[in-house]
Structure formats: structure tokens, C-alpha cells
Amino acid sequence: MNHRYLKPATMAILLTLTGCSSISEEDCRLGDWYQIGLADGQNGKKSYAAIYSEECAEYGVKVDLKTYQDGRRTGLESYCTYENGTLVGEAMKAYENVCPADLSQEFLTGYRPYYNLAKAKSHASGIEGTIHSYKEKLKDDKLSSDDRKMFSAELKSAKSNFERAEFEVNRYEYELAVHKIDREIGQINQQLASEHVSSAQRSMLNERLVKLNDNRKFYETLSTTENTFQNIKNIVDLF
């Protein structure tokens, strides 16, 4: 069994927390609303100001909404970064559209390509597990003829689905590789635009640009070849 698509190890990163959003009586009475908002923002949570207000009202406590929102905004500044977007996407966590307009583009630029690849790998891994399951079932000598035919048909279908899933993984791997190259090219061009870059540094940066552009062409060619092969296979599968 190919283990290429097994899920990566869990990483210690800022992720959207799920589950109950209730606030304790102690936290209501302590009223450290800036820290509560900060934590919510850092974890990519939507604003729970209305929920906190309702729950703390039961203890006769009023939420300092402005302080909470100020803390949450500060927290979102650390959550809504390109780097964190890559980690949240790679962990395949849902994005709750929490980033302010001035921060969302940078977050999503990192989030989307990593999320797409992680999701494609997870899908392929699930199909791979299904294939393994049907293979194990078909090893049973006591299977009836009808069950064997059914499992064989399901196995064939799963294998076909896995081929398509592999193609999706490859496609998103190419897209991510090109994304990384384009981002580095952009960073190098910014450095080259600076008046403080020495001649030696400029030469090294230009050499790096040449390599990056060559790598980009390689991935584009690879992607085109892969697409052509898959299109031909799809046509053949029709007959």
C-alpha cells in the first residue's frame, strides 16, 4: 500500500478553535476583555462579543465590547499572515472569513494553495484506504459469487477514482511549486528595486532569478504534459 498520502504530523500552530464558545463566570467577573479578544483573534475565531454579553449578563456582568474588539483585532494581525495561512491551510482547517480586508489577501495567498493540496491528499488517502479494504475482503475464500463480483466491481471503480485523485494531487503540487517560485521571484524583485543592494548581492539575486524562472518553466511543462496524458486517458476510458 502506498503511504504517500498519509496525513502530516500535527504542528503547533495558530488554528481556528472549534467547540463550545461559552465563557466561565470567573472570566466574566475578571473582565480581562482585551486578553479574551486577543486569544479569539489569534485563534481565528469569529467575534463572540454578542455571545459573551448574553452569557455574562447571567452573572450581572457587562462586557467591555470596545476593549474586546481591540484585543481581537490585534490577535487577528498575528493570525491573518501569509505564514500562518500556509500552516492553517496545510492543516486543512476551515477559514471562517475573519480576516479584515487589509489582511485577508495576504492570509488567503498562503492559505489556498496549501489547503487545496492538503485536501487533495486527504481525498486520495481515503480512496487508498477503500482500495485496501476491498482487497482484504476479496481475500476471503468464503465470499459468495455475487459478493465477489460486487467487491471486484467496487475495487475497479475505486482504483479509477484513485487515478483521478492522484492527478488532482499532482496538479496542486505543481500549483504550489509555482506559487512558491512566484513568491520568491516577487521578493527578489523587491530587493533588486532597493538602492541599498550591493553589486555582489545584485549579481547573486539575478543568478537566483534565472534559476527560479528555469524551474518555473520546468513545472509548467510538467503540468502541461500531465494534463495532456490525463485528457487522453479520460477519452480512452469512455470506450
Side-chain angles (χ1 to χ4, degrees):
M1 180 177 175
N2 182 359
H3 295 286
R4 179 183 177 189
Y5 305 110
L6 293 181
K7 295 180 181 179
T10 303
M11 297 175 291
I13 58 175
L14 294 173
L15 298 176
T16 303
L17 297 183
T18 58
C20 182
S21 63
S22 296
I23 187 169
S24 67
E25 179 179 357
E26 181 182 6
D27 285 336
C28 284
R29 296 195 183 282
L30 285 174
D32 195 349
W33 297 112
Y34 185 87
Q35 289 299 321
I36 292 172
L38 182 69
D40 283 356
Q42 288 175 335
N43 287 298
K45 285 185 176 182
K46 293 182 177 180
S47 174
Y48 285 122
I51 295 175
Y52 294 156
S53 294
E54 181 179 349
E55 294 179 348
C56 288
E58 296 179 8
Y59 312 116
V61 177
K62 186 176 181 180
V63 175
D64 186 340
L65 297 178
K66 182 180 183 307
T67 301
Y68 169 79
Q69 296 293 11
D70 286 346
R72 181 170 171 272
R73 166 68 197 206
T74 301
L76 286 174
E77 288 176 1
S78 65
Y79 178 85
C80 300
T81 63
Y82 171 85
E83 291 74 19
N84 193 53
T86 67
L87 297 177
V88 174
E90 193 170 35
M92 218 168 65
K93 297 292 182 178
Y95 171 55
E96 299 293 334
N97 295 313
V98 296
C99 294
D102 58 325
L103 301 176
S104 63
Q105 184 60 44
E106 189 70 358
F107 175 87
L108 290 172
T109 297
Y111 175 80
R112 285 172 178 147
Y114 284 87
Y115 176 83
N116 288 340
L117 179 56
K119 187 176 181 181
K121 284 183 175 181
S122 176
H123 180 57
S125 178
I127 297 175
E128 197 174 27
T130 299
I131 290 172
H132 177 71
S133 176
Y134 282 126
K135 284 182 176 179
E136 289 299 310
K137 289 178 180 179
L138 288 168
K139 291 179 181 178
D140 187 354
D141 295 333
K142 297 179 181 179
L143 273 180
S144 67
S145 176
D146 288 342
D147 283 344
R148 187 169 298 280
K149 287 180 181 179
M150 179 183 69
F151 290 147
S152 295
E154 292 293 340
L155 176 60
K156 182 179 179 181
S157 177
K159 286 182 176 179
S160 178
N161 289 337
F162 183 68
E163 287 182 358
R164 287 191 290 270
E166 274 194 315
F167 172 74
E168 285 297 293
V169 170
N170 290 337
R171 179 166 73 92
Y172 286 124
E173 282 179 338
Y174 299 150
E175 288 184 4
L176 179 57
V178 172
H179 165 76
K180 289 179 178 179
I181 290 171
D182 286 344
R183 188 164 180 85
E184 187 176 353
I185 288 175
Q187 292 170 343
I188 290 176
N189 285 330
Q190 285 184 343
Q191 290 177 273
L192 289 172
S194 172
E195 298 177 355
H196 305 292
V197 178
S198 68
S199 297
Q201 289 176 319
R202 192 175 296 277
S203 177
M204 290 177 61
L205 290 171
N206 280 319
E207 287 180 8
R208 179 61 179 163
L209 272 181
V210 171
K211 291 181 180 180
L212 287 170
N213 282 312
D214 286 344
N215 287 340
R216 197 182 197 287
K217 290 177 182 177
F218 167 77
Y219 280 113
E220 286 178 341
T221 301
L222 200 61
S223 180
T224 301
T225 303
E226 183 83 9
N227 285 330
T228 301
F229 174 79
Q230 184 64 30
N231 289 335
I232 293 173
K233 187 179 184 309
N234 287 340
I235 293 173
V236 171
D237 287 345
L238 293 175
F239 299 93

